[in-house]
């Protein structure tokens, strides 16, 4: 095997990056890949469904306590051996989350040997690309390609478009658009069109199904708790697509007028 | 005013440091730098020589990520216990301001029985006088100074900024530091002028405590003139009005005037307070026009670039500055000889008497040889 996929998943806050990331991680682990997931969201919710609902100490929690951090302190094996890391962050309104990501990524690079042994590393990046700190995984060379998650609604598409602009700026190719459905009208058509117009394509259309929520509430991925469900098949297919995909583009963001027209 | 919007690429005084110095002039006992331990180290140490305690919250990587609220509360308690201050200042830094630190809340939480002046400042301002202004605004809010003094200071700051933009450190994109002319040669030239019977004006237009050393230039010129029997050829001007400025600044003026008196030096013209160096130029210019326009030379110390050339133009000008980047602008203004008193600041902090200057010492020595 020995692939070296290093991907980041971007998208508007609350659009479902973490559940998509953890289900893709679980699906790839099912296929026998060595997978690591690095959650950059201060709520630490990227890995929780891979660990049976348990929270792990974050890199920044330990740094705050002045711990001389070792790999075993922050890298935890979850479902089918998926290595889980959480960056953590400050409380809302104080400190600097962007700086936090920079410090955590530097620490992880220094202490983790298994980083280099992974077939797939998924960075679950918080929200939009908003400051230097949030692109640290890319700038520090740990991410080679990006996926953008959106629904067919206007605001997530607006964010997705902005992210594409950001990716082009930091010279990071886009490997594809993923639609996490919110069951709005003509959703697949709109997102397919959006993907094509920025020069990319739609990788997967994840239907809105209650089972995803139910599994999440129990603290598990769909892959673990409902492997035979319809949506599990979708994640499995997406996981294969990601692992096999070898083309990517420098996205060309749309102007605001075109974006609005698209969603009408 | 020549309001060029140039981007200045040489390092300049920082607004954080300017805020610290202002707190010193407001007589705080302790200044707390809220930020990394290395921030403003050199000036913090100098200010400690000047009798105030400067401490830091010493924010590290963890502090940058998680904020420094607790660190600031802790240090407020600590300095209160250690130093029993009557007035405390807290100064922001680039690091703490970029991460959005709030300083009011920790001060409230610490709930000390001592007034605290908080200055939210970083070093990213085009004009470093912003640091002074922010400190004064906070002092006004805290009731440490009144509205009248605040307005006076605000006006002086605007003028100080204009002076720097016109012919000072902010006048060019890049100014190479320079040590200026050789002091020995300039000393010889002054002696020559005096021997020829030329008449000269000494103008001390100094900024606050730097006056302790610039006053020595005035003393030295007068001593040498006296030895040469030309004492009457010299007119002295200095910005040492004892009634103007923040408390500490007035005190400096008193000390300098006392030393002048003890040495038997006559200040013919008081041209303003020790904080009025940016505006004294107009007074000086008028005095020269009315009374001294036929003088042959001028020895200007302190902030020579704040003085207009209108009525100085016919004189041979010897100017003494402590800014190594000030040499070129002064030469361009038409000052024949420009001297730099390097290390002036470290030597003038924490003193209350006139401090010997390198040029003063040189002039005295050269005079001995030529007598």
């Amino acid at each position: 095997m020995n692939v070296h996929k290093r991907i980041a998943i971007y998208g508007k806050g609350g659009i479902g990056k973490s559940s998509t990331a953890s289900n893709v991680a679980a699906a790839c682990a099912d296929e026998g890949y060595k997978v690591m997931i690095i959650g950059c969201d201060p709520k630490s919710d990227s890995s929780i469904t891979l660990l049976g609902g348990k929270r792990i100490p974050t890199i920044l929690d330990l740094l705050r306590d002045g711990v001389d951090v070792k790999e075993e302190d922050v890298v935890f094996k979850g479902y089918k051996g998926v290595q889980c890391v959480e960056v953590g962050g400050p409380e809302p309104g104080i400190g600097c989350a962007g700086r936090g990501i920079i410090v955590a990524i530097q620490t992880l690079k220094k202490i983790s040997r298994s980083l280099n042994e992974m077939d797939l590393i998924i960075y679950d990046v918080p929200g939009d690309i908003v400051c230097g700190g949030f692109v640290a995984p890319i700038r520090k060379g740990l991410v080679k390609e990006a996926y953008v998650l959106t629904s067919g609604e206007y605001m997530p598409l607006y964010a997705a478009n902005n992210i594409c602009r950001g990716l082009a700026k930091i010279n990071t190719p886009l490997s594809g658009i993923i639609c996490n459905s919110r069951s709005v009208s003509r959703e697949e058509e709109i997102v397919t069109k959006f993907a094509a117009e920025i020069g990319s394509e739609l990788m997967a259309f994840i239907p809105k199904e209650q089972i995803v929520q139910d599994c999440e509430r129990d603290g598990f991925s769909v892959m673990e708790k409902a492997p035979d469900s319809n949506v599990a098949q979708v994640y499995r297919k997406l996981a294969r697509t990601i692992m096999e995909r070898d083309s990517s583009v420098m996205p060309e963001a749309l102007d605001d007028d075109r974006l609005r027209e698209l969603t009408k | 005013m020549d309001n060029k919007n140039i981007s200045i690429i040489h390092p300049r005084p920082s607004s954080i440091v300017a805020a610290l110095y202002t707190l010193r002039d407001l007589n705080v006992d302790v200044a707390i730098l809220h930020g990394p331990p290395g921030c403003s180290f050199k000036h913090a140490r100098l200010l400690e020589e000047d009798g105030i305690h400067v401490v830091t919250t010493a924010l590290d990587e963890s502090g940058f990520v998680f904020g420094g609220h607790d660190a600031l509360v802790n240090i407020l308690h600590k300095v209160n216990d250690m130093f029993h201050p009557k007035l405390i200042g807290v100064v922001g830094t680039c690091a703490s301001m970029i991460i959005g630190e709030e300083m009011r809340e920790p001060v409230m939480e610490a709930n000390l029985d001592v007034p605290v002046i908080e200055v939210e400042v970083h070093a990213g301002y085009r004009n470093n006088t912003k640091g002074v202004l922010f400190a004064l605004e906070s002092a006004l809010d805290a009731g440490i100074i009144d509205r009248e003094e605040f307005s006076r200071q605000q006006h002086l700051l605007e003028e100080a900024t204009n002076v720097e933009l016109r012919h000072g450190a902010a006048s060019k994109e890049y100014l190479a530091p320079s040590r200026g002319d050789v002091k020995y040669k300039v000393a010889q030239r002054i002696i020559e002028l005096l021997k020829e019977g030329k008449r000269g004006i000494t103008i001390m237009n100094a900024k606050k405590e730097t006056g302790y050393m610039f006053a020595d230039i005035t003393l030295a010129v007068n001593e040498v003139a006296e030895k040469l029997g030309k004492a009457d050829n010299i007119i002295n001007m200095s910005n040492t009005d004892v009634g103007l400025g923040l408390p500490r600044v007035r005190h400096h003026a008193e000390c300098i005037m006392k030393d002048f008196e003890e040495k038997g030096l006559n200040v013919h013209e008081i041209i303003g307070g020790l904080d009025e160096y940016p505006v004294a130029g107009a007074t000086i210019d008028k005095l020269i026009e009315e009374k001294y326009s036929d003088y042959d030379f001028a020895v200007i110390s302190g902030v020579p670039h704040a003085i207009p050339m209108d009525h100085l133009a016919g004189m041979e000008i010897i100017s003494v500055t402590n800014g190594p980047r000030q040499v070129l602008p002064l030469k361009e203004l038409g000052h024949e000889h420009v001297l730099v008193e390097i290390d002036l600041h470290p030597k003038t902090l924490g003193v209350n008497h006139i401090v010997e200057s390198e040029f003063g010492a040189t002039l005295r020595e050269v005079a001995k040889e030529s007598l």
Side-chain angles (χ1 to χ4, degrees):
Chain A
M1 226 158 0
N2 209 7
V3 272
H4 271 285
K5 285 269 171 192
R6 269 87 186 101
I7 70 167
I9 299 183
Y10 286 96
K12 182 181 172 295
I15 199 65
K17 292 184 295 296
S18 295
S19 52
T20 306
S22 54
N23 278 301
V24 167
C28 287
D30 280 342
E31 303 269 314
Y33 289 109
K34 283 185 265 179
V35 183
M36 178 183 274
I37 186 162
I38 302 174
C40 291
D41 192 305
K43 359 187 242 298
S44 302
D45 57 357
S46 313
S47 60
I48 202 160
T49 56
L50 296 165
L51 293 154
K54 274 203 297 261
R55 277 191 190 279
I56 53 173
T58 71
I59 298 178
L60 289 174
D61 279 346
L62 298 179
L63 285 175
R64 170 159 50 184
D65 297 339
V67 175
D68 180 19
V69 184
K70 306 264 184 327
E71 186 169 20
E72 56 269 29
D73 300 327
V74 292
V75 182
F76 294 84
K77 279 210 169 73
Y79 173 74
K80 296 248 172 109
V82 175
Q83 310 224 31
C84 301
V85 181
E86 286 290 351
V87 164
E91 284 172 52
I94 60 162
C96 179
R99 180 72 204 164
I101 295 176
I102 294 170
V103 174
I105 294 299
Q106 282 169 338
T107 306
L108 189 65
K109 268 184 91 167
K110 206 165 68 191
I111 60 169
S112 175
R113 280 153 309 171
S114 50
L115 270 184
N116 300 322
E117 297 157 10
M118 294 292 114
D119 299 315
L120 172 68
I121 297 177
I122 306 178
Y123 284 88
D124 182 12
V125 185
D128 224 327
I129 299 177
V130 289
C131 84
F134 290 74
V135 295
I138 291 174
R139 289 257 159 89
K140 305 287 173 201
L142 291 178
V143 165
K144 306 285 184 225
E145 51 187 304
Y147 286 84
V148 172
L149 194 68
T150 182
S151 72
E153 297 162 299
Y154 177 70
M155 292 314 280
L157 275 170
Y158 184 89
N161 193 47
N162 241 351
I163 290 161
C164 289
R165 198 171 285 140
L167 290 174
K169 184 163 210 108
I170 56 179
N171 214 16
T172 300
L174 174 69
S175 295
I177 300 288
I178 301 164
C179 181
N180 197 30
S181 173
R182 296 290 295 264
S183 303
V184 294
S185 61
R186 297 175 29 245
E187 191 166 34
E188 192 162 0
E189 181 198 327
I190 289 170
V191 181
T192 305
K193 224 165 164 187
F194 168 75
E197 287 195 23
I198 59 164
S200 183
E201 52 194 300
L202 183 63
M203 294 291 97
F205 183 84
I206 305 165
K208 186 170 191 278
E209 283 186 18
Q210 185 58 35
I211 187 100
V212 180
Q213 266 299 310
D214 294 343
C215 291
E216 214 161 78
R217 282 175 185 167
D218 286 349
F220 294 100
S221 66
V222 176
M223 308 313 296
E224 185 170 1
K225 201 77 174 176
D228 300 324
S229 62
N230 170 45
V231 75
Q233 291 301 328
V234 177
Y235 284 127
R236 209 162 280 141
K237 188 157 164 270
L238 173 60
R240 283 193 195 116
T241 313
I242 288 174
M243 292 313 288
E244 284 158 15
R245 188 158 180 82
D246 56 10
S247 71
S248 55
V249 295
M250 218 43 87
E252 276 181 53
L254 309 181
D255 62 40
D256 285 1
D257 291 344
R258 178 62 199 136
L259 193 66
R260 191 163 284 281
E261 208 173 297
L262 200 69
T263 52
K264 265 181 188 162
Chain B
M1 195 200 79
D2 190 10
N3 197 5
K4 290 170 284 184
N5 217 16
I6 50 170
S7 165
I8 297 146
I9 61 169
H10 52 257
R12 281 167 298 158
S14 123
S15 17
I16 299 166
V17 173
L20 276 175
Y21 275 77
T22 307
L23 290 174
R24 184 270 321 255
D25 290 342
L26 290 161
N27 280 340
V28 302
D29 304 294
V30 185
I32 300 170
L33 273 163
H34 188 34
C39 182
S40 305
F41 151 76
K42 191 170 176 186
H43 286 278
R45 281 282 288 274
L46 284 176
L47 283 166
E48 289 190 312
E49 300 294 318
D50 211 12
I52 74 168
H53 302 282
V54 184
V55 297
T56 168
T57 48
L59 296 186
D60 56 7
E61 284 279 27
S62 169
F64 298 158
V65 176
F66 295 103
H69 177 99
D70 295 349
L72 185 49
V73 175
N74 290 341
I75 205 151
L76 279 162
H77 284 300
K78 197 174 264 183
V79 296
N80 197 36
D81 294 343
M82 283 174 83
F83 305 122
H84 312 291
K86 292 190 191 67
L87 182 61
I88 298 176
V90 181
V91 182
T93 61
C94 297
S96 60
M97 293 300 101
I98 288 170
I99 65 167
E101 278 290 289
E102 212 283 315
M103 306 201 299
R104 184 85 209 142
E105 218 176 280
V107 167
M108 300 297 278
E109 192 178 316
N111 195 25
L112 304 182
D113 254 353
V114 184
V116 180
I117 304 175
E118 304 131 35
V119 193
E120 289 205 0
V121 64
H122 54 68
Y125 296 100
R126 190 170 278 274
N127 302 322
N128 77 314
T129 49
K130 279 271 186 221
V132 183
L133 189 65
F134 294 159
L136 291 169
E137 277 170 356
S138 303
L140 179 66
D141 290 344
I144 308 295
I145 56 169
D146 60 20
R147 172 69 60 183
E148 196 186 340
E149 181 60 23
F150 176 77
S151 305
R152 181 179 168 274
Q153 292 287 339
Q154 197 176 23
H155 170 66
L156 292 176
L157 288 173
E158 281 162 13
E159 291 307 314
T161 297
N162 291 343
V163 163
E164 289 314 307
L165 286 171
R166 271 198 302 263
H167 304 295
S171 63
K172 281 196 165 42
E173 184 183 38
Y174 182 72
L175 281 164
S178 160
R179 292 287 180 108
D181 295 320
V182 177
K183 294 185 175 70
Y184 177 76
K185 297 220 159 166
V186 181
Q188 278 180 324
R189 178 66 191 147
I190 290 184
I191 290 162
E192 211 172 284
L193 286 163
L194 286 166
K195 279 185 169 170
E196 287 170 14
K198 306 279 194 217
R199 292 190 300 167
I201 318 170
T202 72
I203 307 170
M204 171 180 134
N205 186 38
K207 180 177 180 180
K208 303 177 183 182
E209 69 279 2
T210 67
Y212 285 118
M213 190 180 278
F214 288 125
D216 182 58
I217 312 280
T218 303
L219 282 178
V221 172
N222 280 273
E223 282 167 32
V224 170
E226 195 176 339
K227 279 189 180 161
L228 295 168
K230 309 284 185 189
D232 294 341
N233 285 21
I234 301 291
I235 284 293
N236 300 307
M237 302 186 185
S238 73
N239 64 327
T240 41
D241 191 322
V242 296
L244 291 170
L246 299 179
R248 197 175 270 248
V249 171
R250 289 202 301 268
H251 174 70
H252 296 328
E254 280 166 22
C255 292
I256 291 169
M257 285 307 282
K258 204 163 147 249
D259 279 4
F260 277 159
E261 206 176 309
E262 273 174 21
K263 303 265 180 189
L265 184 122
N266 180 19
V267 178
H268 302 84
E269 311 284 358
I270 296 283
I271 52 175
L274 270 176
D275 55 3
E276 290 190 322
Y277 62 94
V279 296
T283 315
I284 297 163
D285 193 49
K286 198 156 170 280
L287 280 167
I288 295 174
E289 183 190 8
E290 288 169 0
K291 295 160 84 172
Y292 311 109
S293 61
D294 55 344
Y295 273 59
D296 304 295
F297 68 99
V299 181
I300 312 175
S301 66
V303 188
H305 58 285
I307 303 170
M309 287 301 288
D310 303 4
H311 299 96
L312 280 171
M315 299 180 203
E316 184 166 339
I317 304 176
I318 298 109
S319 56
V320 189
T321 167
N322 65 325
R325 295 190 195 276
Q326 208 53 69
V327 176
L328 180 69
L330 285 168
K331 290 272 181 186
E332 283 182 355
L333 270 173
H335 295 210
E336 279 89 348
H337 315 280
V338 181
L339 305 168
V340 180
E341 284 294 336
I342 214 81
D343 292 337
L344 177 145
H345 230 157
K347 291 176 186 156
T348 53
L349 288 173
V351 301
N352 50 20
H353 283 290
I354 292 175
V355 175
E356 185 177 62
S357 62
E358 206 174 277
F359 181 56
T362 309
L363 188 58
R364 291 179 182 104
E365 274 309 301
V366 176
K368 272 186 207 163
E369 287 170 15
S370 69
L371 277 172

